[in-house]
Amino acid sequence: MSDNLAVVLKRSVQAQPVAKDFEVVSKPLPVPGAGELLVRSVYLSLDPYIGSRLRNKHMGESAPGAGESVPGFSVAEVLESRHDGIAKGDYVVGECGWAQFGIMAGASVRKVDPSLPLSAHLGVLGMPGLTAWAGVTQLAQVGPGDVFMVDAAAGAVGGTAGQIARNLGARAVGIAGGATKCALVKDVYGFDAAIDYHQPDWIDRMVAATDGGPSVHFENVGLSVLLPALKHLRLNGRIVLCGLAEHYQSDAPPPQMPVGTIVGKRARILGLVVYDYYARWAEWVDLARPWIEQGKLAFGEDIVDGAAQAPAHFEKLMRGKNLGKALVRMGPDR
Ligand SMILES: NC(=O)c1ccc[n+]([C@@H]2O[C@H](COP(=O)([O-])OP(=O)(O)OC[C@H]3O[C@@H](n4cnc5c(N)ncnc54)[C@H](OP(=O)(O)O)[C@@H]3O)[C@@H](O)[C@H]2O)c1
């Protein structure tokens, strides 16, 4: 067990990250100190925020330098514990970088139920699922009668958000890029409608599918969807500002919204930061678990095998080409 494949940054990242920015190396097996865990990563989560973090643009979290480990969360098996309350054989979600074996701080991990699919703890039950839950139920307070619209709807956040809204009695309309993503949104996630925003008439289709416009719009992409969504938002509608994926790699001035339209619509603009909801993770898992068991909450996953595939898979995510939650299988489940 001395071989530990890990991915480090080869050079500092100035623009949209590409596979060549990374390097796969073999590292010695780390030794846990007091309060720490030695873990074996089972799945590594690849998330859009890592691209911003590598460019020093994510909520004050510093970027790693050349030769340093790439940040990322994994669901992992505990091999050795020096932290009270966590034992060898437990499964946890925590940060140990892009590596087969790593060290996690015992106080910062989340213990998870290994009887559920392990990968789900990074997607639908993980940070993206919690984000969707927070935006739909806590900020927009979606319920029966709402027409809920979300973009990046094939992704982990968007796909989960639309299904939550639908399970709570709303009509769910998803916006996604391309026919394959739209098929996932409609046929697997069960949205009422899916609109391909690469088609020239997509705004007309969006207006028709929302019967004049959404009462709630959940934004993951940026101005190309947000502005038409705001223009057609119903009076007193709500907009959850969750992500701006199309702007993350840009050095242009921050995207602006037309404040006059917000006033005219009597709209409520709701900014979402998932960190505010970490203390309430169990509420989401308790709600989601029966939905998953009853087939009312599906999740799409885009999985590759092995640490060596992580750089190319991350580049795919950065280009918005992933189909569902982007994951790397780092080793066997058990
Ligand atoms: N506020 C928070 O606390 C919080 C927490 C978690 C995630 N987020 C945000 O939520 C959004 C969705 O997250 P996710 O993990 O579920 O990701 P994701 O949807 O799997 O990936 C992002 C999607 O954004 C779309 N996109 C449009 N233009 C893009 C571009 N230029 N580059 C890359 N992607 C582009 C693509 O979908 P289409 O092809 O369908 O457009 C892409 O698949 C992201 O913006 C993320 O940063 C926010």
Side-chain angles (χ1 to χ4, degrees), residues 6-327:
V7 180
V8 297
L9 208 56
K10 193 152 67 177
R11 54 196 182 199
S12 71
V13 174
Q14 306 299 337
Q16 180 165 311
V18 293
K20 285 182 179 165
D21 292 327
F22 306 92
E23 174 170 40
V24 182
V25 298
S26 184
K27 286 193 166 188
L29 204 64
V31 178
E36 292 183 334
L37 316 172
L38 170 65
V39 300
R40 177 182 70 81
S41 175
V42 180
Y43 289 96
L44 166 69
S45 181
L46 301 179
D47 294 279
Y49 80 88
I50 298 173
S52 309
R53 175 138 179 220
L54 294 179
R55 297 183 69 206
N56 235 337
K57 289 184 167 185
H58 182 71
M59 304 196 73
E61 293 170 353
S62 60
E68 287 182 346
S69 172
V70 185
F73 280 79
S74 293
V75 60
E77 179 190 6
V78 177
L79 301 179
E80 188 182 335
S81 172
R82 296 195 59 198
H83 183 82
D84 285 348
I86 296 177
K88 180 176 183 312
D90 283 347
Y91 283 81
V92 292
V93 170
E95 197 162 22
C96 68
W98 294 12
Q100 287 178 301
F101 300 93
I103 297 294
M104 290 181 182
S108 66
V109 302
R110 184 166 55 92
K111 212 156 129 175
V112 297
D113 178 354
S115 73
L116 290 161
L118 289 179
S119 57
H121 293 297
L122 296 174
V124 67
L125 299 173
M127 182 275 286
L130 183 71
T131 304
W133 170 80
V136 174
T137 68
Q138 304 304 301
L139 293 181
Q141 301 184 350
V142 173
D146 272 319
V147 178
F148 177 84
M149 188 165 88
V150 60
D151 55 9
V157 174
T160 307
Q163 292 181 82
I164 297 171
R166 207 164 183 278
N167 287 342
L168 296 176
R171 175 174 171 79
V173 175
I175 312 281
T180 309
K181 287 187 178 184
C182 284
L184 178 66
V185 172
K186 183 90 171 46
D187 304 339
V188 179
Y189 299 159
F191 280 47
D192 296 287
I195 311 292
D196 176 2
Y197 75 124
H198 293 166
Q199 297 300 318
D201 62 345
W202 79 269
I203 295 176
D204 293 342
R205 289 179 191 228
M206 176 268 278
V207 172
T210 54
D211 202 14
S215 60
V216 176
H217 174 62
F218 190 119
E219 184 56 62
N220 287 319
V221 169
L223 291 189
S224 59
V225 181
L226 179 59
L227 295 182
L230 176 61
K231 182 175 174 191
H232 295 283
L233 190 74
R234 297 182 185 195
L235 282 189
N236 301 302
R238 295 91 88 198
I239 292 184
V240 178
L241 288 184
C242 173
L244 299 168
E246 71 182 2
H247 303 288
Y248 290 156
Q249 311 307 330
S250 163
D251 291 319
Q256 307 289 323
M257 290 178 77
V259 289
T261 311
I262 296 170
V263 174
K265 296 278 182 183
R266 291 78 158 166
R268 273 185 286 150
I269 309 296
L270 304 157
L272 168 57
V273 175
V274 68
Y275 299 164
D276 299 344
Y277 299 91
Y278 275 16
R280 300 179 61 188
W281 218 304
E283 282 179 63
W284 164 233
V285 175
D286 287 349
L287 181 68
R289 189 183 183 120
W291 283 347
I292 292 174
E293 288 164 355
Q294 294 158 20
K296 290 165 72 180
L297 181 57
F299 46 99
E301 297 180 324
D302 194 341
I303 304 181
V304 294
D305 272 296
Q309 301 302 319
H313 205 44
F314 185 63
E315 180 177 328
K316 182 177 165 191
L317 174 73
M318 289 292 96
R319 291 167 51 231
K321 300 295 180 199
N322 57 303
L323 192 60
K325 172 71 197 137
L327 296 164

